Amino acid sequence: MNSTTLKGDGQNIGGQIKETVGDVTGNRSLQGEGVVDQITGNATKAVGAARDAVGPLTDKATTFAKTRPYATAALVGVIGLAVLNTLRGK
């Protein structure tokens, strides 16, 4: 869990509190703000989870590139050709 995920959790909880207070007081504006905060918090949480998932992969790729620069260059070249051929429709 990283700081982005924690920030999303906090924003989500704050939104739930705002929505509840808006419900109790009849303040539709505060209730709406709470819903928006919850949606934003969930999106921020998803970004944090994605960072956690991709982080180890980027570390492995960086290590591979440093230890095998020629293999990395060949791999990038092959992927580049594949993308170009795909874009050209072959």
Side-chain angles (χ1 to χ4, degrees):
M1 194 180 261
N2 58 32
S3 62
T4 305
T5 306
L6 292 175
K7 181 180 175 184
D9 279 337
Q11 199 167 14
N12 191 9
I13 292 169
Q16 289 173 351
I17 292 170
K18 277 185 180 180
E19 183 181 12
T20 302
V21 171
D23 283 340
V24 170
T25 61
N27 186 342
R28 296 281 183 199
S29 177
L30 187 61
Q31 184 182 11
E33 286 179 23
V35 171
V36 169
D37 284 350
Q38 288 177 51
I39 292 169
T40 306
N42 286 333
T44 304
K45 222 167 114 172
V47 168
R51 281 187 180 170
D52 285 340
V54 172
L57 183 61
T58 57
D59 291 340
K60 287 182 182 180
T62 303
T63 303
F64 181 81
K66 286 181 181 179
T67 58
R68 299 181 178 179
Y70 296 116
T72 303
L75 180 62
V76 170
V78 169
I79 292 172
L81 286 173
V83 169
L84 285 175
N85 286 333
T86 302
L87 293 175
R88 288 186 359 198
K90 290 189 173 185

